[in-house]
């Protein structure tokens, strides 16, 4: 790297934490990277971003996967006047071999700045900084080596999932298989933007929600079970004998007061009807408690960060759904496609599904996509005592009264 002083960025290299500035500086000798760092210092000096959106770029056959980046002062920073980003579709659960990572890095060194973000918020391996001329050759080489682009723009963003049964005993279904299946099924939706705005699917195997789907996904798929928590009585006694405060650390922190512990008998019980499967007790006593056997997933909708409306946490639309590999997840896909159809017909430009539901009302959404209201769908208590009937329901009631 050059000896040019960057006092503001130097502040980001201080302290015990990893620094992206230090990592960028390791790309010594790459003119794009050096100027990108200089431009970042300039942005801090001017207190404004010097990247602009200058139009759509892409590769043949794909409308998504490439994000156009242009510098607004190219005369000062000619080597980053184009600094496009490519999103590469990650394997389910982010399982790579070292050979695969070397292959990806070698391709990017040849065609771009060498800078990567492993991984972006959507889940993709993000390749930061290349020119328009290199986009197609880079994509061609990626494709020849088995890589594909992820989603960007107003399309289905790359589905992502937790490591699931590969490394976790709490997975209520095969998150890796479902993620791979959905990615393959919806290639058109993933690569060819045709919707009002983006749509994200994130898949967590249990309520620990290790991919933060409830806060970031338009459709959250979170594993759960509907029978009883399995309890190993002897393991509970071992926890108690070791001095663990089961009452204080587990029972008193149960959100629905569904747990109980008899200290004299060293006996732990769960009122399964009132248990909300939050995973707290299982997390605290993993040797003694396990998820149930009748497993599936809760389907939630509408999570997003702040853009047009404020940030939303997704809310329940299907309390429990079996996810069957045997039929290709037919029930989930049928629901998903009904949601997309309603959203596509009713949303404004750049309106996420959660914002549309907020504008139209959950009552309208449930009717249009064919879901029956359930208690678990209640987002917050009703604010007024009135109940409004659909016009067709009033007609049916009147006809019934006449008879």
């Amino acid at each position: 790297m050059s000896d040019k002083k960057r006092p503001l960025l130097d502040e980001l290299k201080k302290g015990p934490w990893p620094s992206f500035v230090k990592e960028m500086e390791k790309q010594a000798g790459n003119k794009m990277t050096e100027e990108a760092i200089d431009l970042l210092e300039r942005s801090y000096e001017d207190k404004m971003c010097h990247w602009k959106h200058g139009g759509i770029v892409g590769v043949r056959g794909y409308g998504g996967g490439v994000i156009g980046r242009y510098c607004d002062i190219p005369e000062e920073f000619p080597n980053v006047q184009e600094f496009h980003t490519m999103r590469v579709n990650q394997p389910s659960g982010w399982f790579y071999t070292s050979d695969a990572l070397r292959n990806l890095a070698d391709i990017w060194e040849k065609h771009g700045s060498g800078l990567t973000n492993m991984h972006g918020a959507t889940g993709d391996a993000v390749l930061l900084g290349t020119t328009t001329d290199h986009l197609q050759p880079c994509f061609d080489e990626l494709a020849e080596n088995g890589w594909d682009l992820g989603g960007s723009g107003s399309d289905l963003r790359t589905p992502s999932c937790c490591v699931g049964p590969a490394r976790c005993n709490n997975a209520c279904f095969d998150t890796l298989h479902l993620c791979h299946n959905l990615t393959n099924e919806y290639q058109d939706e993933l690569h060819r933007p045709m919707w009002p705005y983006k749509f994200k699917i994130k898949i967590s195997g249990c309520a620990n929600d290790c991919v933060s789907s409830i806060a970031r996904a338009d459709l959250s798929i979170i594993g759960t079970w509907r029978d009883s928590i399995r309890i190993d009585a002897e393991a509970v006694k071992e926890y108690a004998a070791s001095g663990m405060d089961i009452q204080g650390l587990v029972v008193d922190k149960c959100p629905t007061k569904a747990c109980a512990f008899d200290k004299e008998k060293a006996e732990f019980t769960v009122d399964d009807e009132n248990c909300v499967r939050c995973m707290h007790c299982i997390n605290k006593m993993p040797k003694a408690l396990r998820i149930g056997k009748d497993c599936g997933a809760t389907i939630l909708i509408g999570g997003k960060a702040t853009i047009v409306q404020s940030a939303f946490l997704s809310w329940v639309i299907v309390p429990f759904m079996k996810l069957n590999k045997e039929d290709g997840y037919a029930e989930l896909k049928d629901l998903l496609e009904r949601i997309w159809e309603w959203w596509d017909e009713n949303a404004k430009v750049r309106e996420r599904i959660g914002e549309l539901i907020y504008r139209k009302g959950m009552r309208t959404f449930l009717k249009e996509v064919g879901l029956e209201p359930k208690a678990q769908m209640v987002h917050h208590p009703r604010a007024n005592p009135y109940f409004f009937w659909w016009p067709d329901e009033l007609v049916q009631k009147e006809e019934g009264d006449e008879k």
Side-chain angles (χ1 to χ4, degrees), residues 96-132:
Y96 296 91
T97 64
S98 55
D99 286 342
L101 288 173
R102 288 190 184 96
N103 173 250
L104 186 63
D106 288 343
I107 294 171
W108 189 234
E109 286 279 357
K110 186 189 303 184
H111 295 287
S113 69
L115 296 175
T116 64
N117 178 4
M118 304 291 281
H119 292 84
T122 298
D124 305 282
V126 180
L127 310 182
L128 298 161
T130 191
T131 62
T132 303

Side-chain angles (χ1 to χ4, degrees), residues 76-260:
E76 296 183 46
F77 299 92
N79 289 301
V80 291
Q81 58 182 313
E82 295 176 347
F83 199 76
H84 308 315
T85 289
M86 301 184 78
R87 288 177 172 163
V88 177
N89 198 321
Q90 83 283 358
S92 293
W94 299 282
F95 284 100
Y96 296 91
T97 64
S98 55
D99 286 342
L101 288 173
R102 288 190 184 96
N103 173 250
L104 186 63
D106 288 343
I107 294 171
W108 189 234
E109 286 279 357
K110 186 189 303 184
H111 295 287
S113 69
L115 296 175
T116 64
N117 178 4
M118 304 291 281
H119 292 84
T122 298
D124 305 282
V126 180
L127 310 182
L128 298 161
T130 191
T131 62
T132 303
D133 290 343
H134 273 278
L135 289 175
Q136 191 65 47
C138 184
F139 169 72
D140 291 342
E141 194 164 346
L142 286 169
E144 288 168 5
N145 285 272
W147 302 97
D148 196 9
L149 295 187
S152 69
S154 297
D155 63 6
L156 174 63
R157 297 300 177 85
T158 315
S160 63
C161 65
C162 68
V163 297
R167 296 188 66 185
C168 180
N169 291 328
N170 295 327
C172 296
F173 61 94
D174 191 339
T175 58
L176 307 168
H177 186 275
L178 175 60
C179 184
H180 185 68
N181 184 282
L182 293 176
T183 302
N184 288 336
E185 178 82 12
Y186 296 115
Q187 284 290 294
D188 274 358
E189 290 80 0
L190 184 62
H191 292 308
R192 295 166 182 88
M194 54 186 173
W195 287 338
Y197 203 20
K198 56 190 172 185
F199 193 97
K200 298 181 179 181
I201 299 174
K202 297 190 184 297
I203 304 164
S204 289
C206 73
N208 283 322
D209 196 11
C210 290
V211 292
S212 301
S213 67
I214 197 169
R216 305 189 299 149
D218 298 274
L219 192 85
S220 309
I221 304 171
I222 301 179
T224 190
W225 64 95
R226 57 183 175 185
D227 54 347
S228 301
I229 289 178
R230 287 177 281 175
I231 303 174
D232 184 332
E234 293 303 314
V236 172
K237 292 177 181 178
E238 289 180 18
Y239 276 112
S242 69
M244 180 179 182
D245 181 9
I246 296 176
Q247 182 67 39
L249 294 176
V250 182
V251 175
D252 292 345
K253 296 185 183 299
C254 176
T256 55
K257 307 302 179 187
C259 298

